Amino acid sequence: MKSLSNPLLIVGDNPALFGGLSRSCRDIATLATTLPQFRVGVVGRGLGQNRKLPFIVYDYPEYMGWGENCFMDIWNDFTGGEHGIILTTDDLSRRQWLVNESDLSGDLAMFAKDCNHYTWGYVPVDSTGPSGQSLPLHMADTARRYHRIMAASEWGCQVLKASGCAGADWLPHGIWMDKFHPIPNAKALLDWQNKIVCGCVMANQSRKDLPVAFQVFSQLRSHYGSRFHAWLHTNTLVGYWNVQLLAAECGVSDCLEVSLSANDEQLACRYSACDCTIVPSAGEGFCYPLAESMACGTAAVTTGYAGGQELVPSNCRPTPTGYRVDTQHNTLRAIPNPHHFSTCAINQIDLKLQDPEQRRQEMIDHTKHLDWKLLRRPWEHWLNEGLKNG
C-alpha cells in the first residue's frame, strides 16, 4: 500500500445526522482527516448533508438498504481505481454483502474477491447469538472475513474472539468533555427547582424498551409523589412505540416533559439537572447517553447486558428478567426488568440527594477515560498500525 494518502472510505450512518452511529462515524472520519496517511470519504446512510465536514460524504436514502446498490459507483469515484481501505462503523448484520462473495453477483462479487482493498471493521457489538457467547452464525462468518476488526467494548471484543476473530481488539467511542460537563444551576435554568428528575434519552425503536422506561417513571412517581418529574428525549413521538399513549397508560402524562430536538449544550443542561437517567435497552454496543449523563455528573442506569453495561458502575446495572431471540438475525436480546430499574434508580437518586457534590464528582471521575481528546492517540495508533500490517 502507498505510504501516504491511502483512500479510506468509512461506511456507516450519515455523519451529518445526530444518532450515535452517525456521531462515531463523524468523529473517526474527522480524526482520520488529520493524518496525512489517509484521504477520507464517508458513505453515509440517510440524507442529511446539512453541516460542513472536513471530508467528502456520499449519502443515500434509507430505503436503498445498506448501500449495496450504490457502493461500486461510490468506490470507483472515490478511489479512482487505486487500492484502498474500507472501514465499517456499524452492525455486522448490515455488511455481509461487502465481504462475502458467495452471496453476491456481478461487480460486487468481483469486488469482494479481489485484493485491491482492505476491510476494517469497528463494531458496536450489542448482543450475541442464541448461544450467549458468540455472534449469530451469519454475523460471525462476516466478522471473520474482515482483514482487521475491533469492538467498541471489552465485552464486544470477547464476543468477537469467541466468534473466531482471534486478533480482535477494542476501543470505546469517546465523547467531547468540553460539551458534556456539569452545568451550574441547571435545575433553575429549566425551572425544575424542588423537583426530583429522572431522564431517559433513547430513540423510538424496538431495541429501546420505552414501555419499561414509562413503568419506571410510574414507580418513581409513586415513590416521590408530586415532586417527581420525568424527562424523555427521543426522535419521534410515534415510531415503534407511541410515546403519548405509553405516558397515559402509565399515568405520568402530567409530570412528563418530552424533547425531540436539542443540541449538545441543551442536552448537557438537562443531564446536569437530572438526579438520575435510565437507558432500559435490550442491548447497547456503546451508548452515548450513558457516558454523557455521567460526564455531566448524573448517574446513569442501564441493562446489565452487552457493551453498554461497561460504561456504568456495577450498582447501575439492573439484572434483566431474561433473554429472547430477536429478529431474522437471531440476536439474543435482554428483557429489562422495570422493578429492578426502579429500585436501582431510587438508590442512585437518593445518593445524589444525600451528597450532590460528591456524587457528581464520582460520576465525572468514572467517565474521564472516555474523553475523545484522550482517545485520539490510541485511535491514531490503531489506524496507522493497519497500514504497517497491510
Side-chain angles (χ1 to χ4, degrees):
M1 297 181 67
K2 295 181 179 180
S3 60
L4 295 176
S5 299
N6 296 277
L8 174 65
L9 189 62
I10 301 176
V11 182
D13 281 5
N14 191 311
L17 301 178
F18 296 96
L21 291 178
S22 294
R23 297 171 69 176
S24 60
C25 178
R26 180 171 66 249
D27 286 341
I28 295 166
T30 300
L31 170 61
T33 61
T34 68
L35 304 177
Q37 297 90 334
F38 299 101
R39 176 167 57 85
V40 182
V42 170
V43 182
R45 181 175 184 258
L47 302 178
Q49 291 194 48
N50 57 354
R51 62 174 73 184
K52 292 182 179 179
L53 297 168
F55 44 82
I56 185 171
V57 177
Y58 302 90
D59 61 356
Y60 63 94
E62 293 185 7
Y63 68 78
M64 290 182 64
W66 305 114
E68 58 269 39
N69 296 319
C70 58
F71 181 79
M72 286 308 305
D73 288 340
I74 293 172
W75 177 258
N76 292 330
D77 179 78
F78 179 65
T79 65
E82 297 180 31
H83 292 214
I85 303 160
I86 302 162
L87 169 60
T88 67
T89 59
D90 51 11
D91 194 86
L92 289 168
S93 64
R94 305 178 179 184
R95 300 302 160 206
Q96 190 169 19
W97 60 268
L98 190 59
V99 295
N100 190 348
E101 65 271 16
S102 64
D103 289 344
L104 305 172
S105 61
D107 291 343
L108 272 176
M110 294 298 296
F111 177 78
K113 277 171 89 171
D114 72 29
C115 56
N116 289 331
H117 66 281
Y118 295 86
T119 49
W120 300 354
Y122 182 55
V123 188
V125 183
D126 60 17
S127 60
T128 69
S131 71
Q133 302 296 322
S134 58
L135 293 166
L137 293 177
H138 75 292
M139 292 169 65
D141 176 71
T142 298
R144 290 191 295 268
R145 293 174 184 272
Y146 277 74
H147 295 98
R148 302 177 74 212
I149 196 161
M150 181 166 69
S153 67
E154 186 175 11
W155 186 92
C157 183
Q158 295 307 313
V159 173
L160 288 174
K161 288 182 176 181
S163 304
C165 302
D169 203 346
W170 73 279
L171 266 178
H173 300 168
I175 63 173
W176 291 96
M177 298 295 190
D178 56 343
K179 295 180 179 178
F180 291 98
H181 54 80
I183 305 299
N185 302 313
K187 282 195 174 182
L189 292 172
L190 296 169
D191 197 24
W192 290 355
Q193 303 100 314
N194 303 316
K195 293 185 181 298
I196 294 173
V197 185
C198 180
C200 178
V201 177
M202 292 199 303
N204 192 337
Q205 56 184 238
S206 61
R207 184 166 52 89
K208 316 287 188 173
D209 206 325
L210 281 174
V212 170
F214 278 96
Q215 290 176 70
V216 173
F217 290 160
S218 178
Q219 292 181 37
L220 296 181
R221 170 73 172 280
S222 297
H223 185 82
Y224 292 109
S226 60
R227 294 181 63 195
F228 178 72
H229 186 72
W231 164 57
L232 171 68
H233 181 72
T234 190
N235 58 317
T236 181
L237 291 176
V238 181
Y240 193 87
W241 314 102
N242 186 314
V243 168
Q244 292 169 319
L245 288 182
L246 281 173
E249 294 281 3
C250 294
V252 295
S253 299
D254 59 337
C255 65
L256 174 68
E257 181 174 327
V258 179
S259 58
L260 298 176
S261 62
N263 59 33
D264 289 344
E265 291 75 17
Q266 292 167 329
L267 285 174
C269 186
R270 284 166 170 76
Y271 284 129
S272 300
C274 287
D275 297 293
C276 177
T277 63
I278 59 172
V279 179
S281 169
E284 295 291 322
F286 182 68
C287 188
Y288 281 96
L290 296 174
E292 291 166 355
S293 177
M294 291 186 294
C296 293
T298 298
V301 177
T302 195
T303 314
Y305 176 66
Q309 66 180 319
E310 290 181 7
L311 298 178
V312 303
S314 58
N315 62 354
C316 292
R317 309 169 191 170
T319 303
T321 294
Y323 303 87
R324 61 186 174 86
V325 177
D326 186 44
T327 77
Q328 61 181 316
H329 303 297
N330 295 328
T331 54
L332 194 67
R333 296 295 189 193
I335 304 172
N337 185 303
H339 175 70
H340 292 170
F341 259 87
S342 300
T343 300
C344 192
I346 289 169
N347 289 338
Q348 296 306 312
I349 290 170
D350 290 348
L351 284 171
K352 190 165 186 179
L353 293 176
Q354 290 167 15
D355 194 336
E357 291 304 320
Q358 178 180 336
R359 196 60 180 155
R360 186 176 295 117
Q361 191 59 50
E362 288 173 356
M363 292 299 102
I364 294 170
D365 291 343
H366 195 80
T367 56
K368 282 182 176 178
H369 67 291
L370 297 174
D371 189 337
W372 182 247
K373 293 179 181 178
L374 297 179
L375 286 168
R376 178 186 178 93
R377 181 161 294 182
W379 266 102
E380 287 180 355
H381 177 77
W382 187 80
L383 290 167
N384 287 324
E385 280 297 305
L387 295 180
K388 293 178 184 178
N389 298 329

